[in-house]
Amino acid sequence: MKWGVQGMRSKTSSFNKEIIKQDFRNVGWISIVYFLGLFFIVPMQLFMEMSKEEPSIPDDRGLFGSIFAYELQLFFLFIMPLLMAVFLFRYLHVKGASDFAHSFPMKRGKLYQHHIVSGVILLILPILLNYLILIITAGAVDVQDYYTVTNLGYWLWLFSTMTLLIFMVGVFVGTLTGLSAVQGILTYILLFLPAGLYVLIAFHLSSYIKGYSGDVVLERSIQYFSPLVDLVEFQRYAPDPAEVPVEKLPLIIYGLVAAAFYVLSLFLYKKRSLESAGRALAVTALNPVFKVGVTFCFALFGGMYFTVSQNEYSWMIMGYFIGGTFGYAAASMLLEKTWRVFNWRHLKGWFGYGAVTCALIAIIPFLWQNYESYVPKSSEVEKVFVSNGYWQYQRMVDEEMEIPFITSVESIQSTIDLHEQLIEVSNPLEDGRDSFFFVYRMEDGSEIYRQYRVDEQEVAEAKKAVYETEEYKKIEYPVLGLDPDKVNRLHIGSYSGQGGKEFYDPELIAGFVEVLKEDIEGISYEDMVTPRGLYSNVHFTVNGNPDNPFHVQLHPSFERTMGWLKEKGFYEEAMTLPADIHRADVYRWPENRDFSNNHVRLIVERLKEEGIEPLEFTSDEKIGSLMKGQQNQEDGAYIVAFYFDERNSDHYEVLSFGKEDAPDFIKEHFE
C-alpha cells in the first residue's frame, strides 16, 4: 500500500500546474483574440442576420458560406495557432530565457509536454466556446436556413484539426530554429512547400516534356499537397459541388500528421542544444539540406519567371542561374546572420550546391522521357475525348454531363494518328495557336491525359481526319446533344450588336434546333476552322439555366438555318447585314514585317499603330462583298476590318482574303 501511495505521488508530481498558469498569463491573450475573432465572424453574424427584417439569402454551405465570411475565418485559423507556437516557445530563442527554463528540476520532455498542453487548451477552448454558443442557439431557435447540427459538428472538427496541425508544425519549426522571426516564416514555407514544389516541378516538366498537361496536374491534385491550399481552394461562388472545404479522409490524415509532428518535435526538443538559441537552424546538420533546398527552389522559380516572360530555353537557363545564385546567397546570409558572404569560401560552396541543383533540375525531365513518347495502341483504348482544352472536359465532369467520347475503331485510330504527329511537331515552349487535349479511357479502366499547342497547318491533314468525324462534332458542338424540349429560351445576337432575336415558342425552338443540327452535321473541316462571314452568337437557356455549354456560333454558311430564318422573317434581326456596318477598312497583308504574332486582329492593331492608311468602304454593296471573307486565317493577301459604330473604334471584327478569292475592286486598287 505504501508503494502505491508513493507511486501516485510520483505520478502527480510530474504535472506542474504553475507552468500551465504561467503559460496562460503569457499567451492567454492569443486565446482571447481567437475567441473574439471567431465570435464576431460566426455567432454574432448569425444574431445580426436573424434580427434583420429581410435576412440575406444563405447558401447551402452553412458555416462555410458567404454569410459567415469564410475568408476571415481562415485568417484567424492561419494566424492564431502560429502565434501561439511562436510566443509559447519564445524562450527557446533567447539565450538567458532558455538557460533559465531548462534549469528547473524537470526533464525536457515533461517541460515540452506542459507547454503543448497549455497551447492545445488555449487554442481549442475558443473554438469549443463558439461551438457551444451555436449549438445552444440551434436548440433555442430555428437556424436550419443557416446551418445544421451536422454542419456545425464538421466546423468544430475542421477548425480543431487544422488549428492543431498549424500549431504543431509551428512548434516543430520552433525546435529546428533559434530565431522566432525565422520560425514564423519557415512554418508557412513548410506548410506551403509541397504545393509550391509541386507547382514548380509541374511547370518545369511542362517546359520540357511534350504532352505534359500542367492544367490537369495542378487543377486535380495541388490541394492534396498543402493543408492551407486545401482550405483556400474551397470556392463558395463557383459551381463547385463541394459542401465543405476539406473532405473527411484528408481531415483524418491532417490529424495524423499533427500527431507525427508532435512526436518529431518532442524528439528534437530533447536533443536540441541550449547554445542553439539565436541560430537560424538549431540542428547544424541540416544546414547543407537547407542550402540545397533553397537554392533548388529559387532556381526553379527563376527558370519559371524567365520562361513565362520570354518562352526561350536560353532565358530559362539564365533564370536557373540567377534564381539559384540568389537562393544560395539568401540561405548563406540567413544561416550566418550576415550579408558578408561574397568571398572565396562561399564561391566554392556556390559551385558545389549549384552542381547539385543542376543535377536535380536535369534529372527530373529525364525521368519522364517515356511519358513524352508514349502513344496508346488502339486495341488498348476503349474511348477517347478530344478538345481544345482541359477546362471543357473538366466542366462536363463537374456538371456530371454525359461526355461525348469517340468510340468507333476508325475514329480512335484517326485520333492516335493525330497524337503521333503532334509529338513530332510540338515544342513545349512554343505557344501555338491551336490547343489539343486528349483523354484516353483505357480498357483496363485507367485514364491517360495529354495536351499540346501547335500551329494548325503543321497537322492539318491529321486534324481534318478527326474533326470531320461525326463523333468529334458532338464534342466540338455540344448543341448536337441538346434536347429542344428542355430549352426555355433561345437568343440570337449578331456580332454588330444591332438588334437580336429571342424565341420562347417551343415549336420555333424545335424547328431552329433541327435545321441547326443538320448544318453542323454536314459542316466541312474548312468551315469549322476558317468559316466565312460574320457570325452571330446563339445562346440557349436550358431548364431555366442560361449558364450551359450549348452556345454556338451561327455562320452564314449554315444554309439550312439561314433559309429557315429567312422563311420565318427573322434573318435581318438575327444576322449582321451590310447596313449594320459603319465602314470597312481594307489593308494589304504585310510582307517581310517583323510581327511576333500572326493573329490577324493583332496584325491590324500593329498596322494602325504604324499609321498605315487603309482602303475605306462605306457602300452596302461593296461591304456585302467584303463580308464573304474568312475568319481565323494566319496568312493571306488582304485584311478587312469591319466597324459597327463610328464612336467606338475598338468594336470591330476582322476577315481576310487570299489573292484568288478577293473581290476585284480590292485587287485593282492594291495592284
Side-chain angles (χ1 to χ4, degrees), residues 348-363:
K348 290 191 293 183
W350 176 81
F351 279 116
Y353 287 105
V356 173
T357 299
C358 288
L360 290 174
I361 290 174
I363 287 173

Side-chain angles (χ1 to χ4, degrees), residues 365-616:
F366 180 78
L367 298 174
W368 286 70
Q369 290 303 309
N370 290 335
Y371 178 99
E372 180 179 75
S373 60
Y374 175 73
V375 178
K377 297 178 181 178
S378 58
S379 58
E380 301 172 341
V381 178
E382 177 188 355
K383 49 190 176 181
V384 60
F385 177 88
V386 185
S387 71
N388 59 7
Y390 162 72
W391 304 109
Q392 180 180 351
Y393 174 75
Q394 189 58 41
R395 178 174 181 174
M396 292 181 180
V397 173
D398 290 341
E399 298 182 3
E400 299 181 351
M401 296 175 58
E402 183 178 350
I403 300 174
F405 282 99
I406 294 172
T407 57
S408 68
V409 176
E410 297 81 6
S411 298
I412 289 175
Q413 186 58 54
S414 296
T415 303
I416 291 174
D417 293 341
L418 173 61
H419 186 176
E420 291 175 339
Q421 283 202 20
L422 287 168
I423 294 176
E424 292 179 10
V425 303
S426 65
N427 183 332
L429 283 191
E430 289 184 1
D431 192 20
R433 286 188 59 199
D434 292 301
S435 179
F436 298 86
F437 178 72
F438 299 83
V439 180
Y440 291 99
R441 290 270 180 94
M442 309 301 286
E443 293 287 353
D444 61 5
S446 62
E447 289 189 351
I448 296 173
Y449 302 91
R450 294 294 187 272
Q451 186 166 319
Y452 304 88
R453 289 193 68 90
V454 300
D455 289 327
E456 183 269 338
Q457 63 268 21
E458 296 180 294
V459 291
E461 289 303 317
K463 181 180 176 183
K464 180 178 180 179
V466 174
Y467 274 40
E468 289 191 338
T469 63
E470 180 181 347
E471 293 166 299
Y472 177 80
K473 288 179 181 178
K474 291 180 180 179
I475 298 175
E476 183 68 17
Y477 301 100
V479 71
L480 289 175
L482 176 62
D483 182 357
D485 292 337
K486 296 180 180 180
V487 179
N488 313 113
R489 170 181 173 270
L490 187 156
H491 177 265
I492 306 176
S494 67
Y495 195 93
S496 68
Q498 306 293 326
K501 185 62 184 177
E502 291 187 353
F503 305 154
Y504 294 92
D505 186 289
E507 290 187 9
L508 288 177
I509 291 173
F512 177 85
V513 171
E514 180 183 354
V515 295
L516 178 64
K517 287 183 177 180
E518 290 176 0
D519 279 325
I520 292 175
E521 288 168 354
I523 193 172
S524 67
Y525 168 75
E526 288 72 21
D527 283 338
M528 292 175 71
V529 297
T530 56
R532 289 189 177 273
L534 299 176
Y535 63 85
S536 293
N537 285 305
V538 182
H539 295 275
F540 299 89
T541 299
V542 181
N543 292 330
N545 180 20
D547 184 21
N548 57 70
F550 300 113
H551 52 82
V552 67
Q553 291 182 356
L554 183 60
H555 295 281
S557 60
F558 290 7
E559 295 180 359
R560 293 178 180 83
T561 310
M562 295 301 106
W564 186 91
L565 290 172
K566 291 175 181 177
E567 177 187 336
K568 300 297 181 182
F570 302 146
Y571 181 82
E572 293 185 357
E573 296 175 89
M575 303 301 294
T576 300
L577 304 176
D580 299 327
I581 297 172
H582 170 63
R583 78 172 194 274
D585 290 349
V586 181
Y587 298 88
R588 184 195 292 272
W589 199 294
E591 297 179 2
N592 301 322
R593 288 180 179 270
D594 182 21
F595 290 114
S596 59
N597 194 308
N598 286 332
H599 191 280
V600 65
R601 189 180 180 94
L602 297 179
I603 292 176
V604 170
E605 289 294 326
R606 181 72 173 271
L607 293 173
K608 289 163 67 175
E609 290 173 4
E610 293 185 358
I612 304 298
E613 289 294 331
L615 176 62
E616 186 177 303

Side-chain angles (χ1 to χ4, degrees), residues 15 19 53 68 94 96 140 151 172 187-188 224 231 247 281 303 330 392 407 420 428 433 446 459 496 566 571 643 665:
F15 177 78
I19 295 178
E53 292 185 6
F68 299 104
V94 179
N151 180 253
F172 171 74
T187 298
Y188 287 122
Y224 302 124
L231 289 167
E247 298 297 334
L281 285 182
Q392 180 180 351
T407 57
E420 291 175 339
R433 286 188 59 199
S446 62
V459 291
S496 68
K566 291 175 181 177
Y571 181 82
Y643 294 86
F665 58 86

Side-chain angles (χ1 to χ4, degrees), residues 106-264:
M106 179 181 286
K107 292 183 178 180
R108 284 195 183 189
K110 294 297 180 182
L111 181 61
Y112 166 84
Q113 290 169 352
H114 275 71
H115 291 313
I116 292 296
V117 169
S118 299
V120 169
I121 293 173
L122 289 171
L123 286 173
I124 297 300
L125 191 59
I127 301 172
L128 190 57
L129 288 176
N130 279 283
Y131 169 80
L132 292 175
I133 294 171
L134 291 170
I135 198 72
I136 292 171
T137 304
V141 297
D142 183 11
V143 296
Q144 289 296 314
D145 290 338
Y146 299 96
Y147 63 90
T148 63
V149 174
T150 302
N151 180 253
L152 176 59
Y154 203 92
W155 181 87
L156 174 66
W157 183 18
L158 173 71
F159 268 73
S160 299
T161 301
M162 302 307 288
T163 294
L164 293 179
L165 175 62
I166 295 172
F167 173 64
M168 290 312 310
V169 173
V171 172
F172 171 74
V173 174
T175 61
L176 281 178
T177 182
L179 298 171
S180 295
V182 174
Q183 178 187 2
I185 296 171
L186 287 184
T187 298
Y188 287 122
I189 290 177
L190 182 58
L191 287 167
F192 278 112
L193 181 63
L197 273 175
Y198 188 62
V199 171
L200 291 172
I201 292 174
F203 181 87
H204 182 65
L205 289 172
S206 66
S207 300
Y208 286 97
I209 306 301
K210 296 179 181 181
Y212 185 86
S213 178
D215 291 339
V216 174
V217 172
L218 297 180
E219 175 66 19
R220 292 201 158 195
S221 51
I222 186 172
Q223 68 270 23
Y224 302 124
F225 287 82
S226 168
L228 303 190
V229 174
D230 206 356
L231 289 167
V232 172
E233 279 282 291
F234 181 60
Q235 301 290 329
R236 294 185 291 108
Y237 301 109
D240 190 338
E243 295 181 357
V244 292
V246 182
E247 298 297 334
K248 292 180 181 179
L249 179 59
L251 206 50
I252 293 171
I253 294 173
Y254 292 148
L256 296 175
V257 172
F261 273 111
Y262 166 80
V263 174
L264 287 173

Side-chain angles (χ1 to χ4, degrees), residues 79-94:
I79 299 296
M80 294 299 118
L82 178 58
L83 287 180
M84 184 66 72
V86 170
F87 283 96
L88 198 57
F89 288 89
R90 170 82 175 124
Y91 68 92
L92 287 178
H93 307 145
V94 179

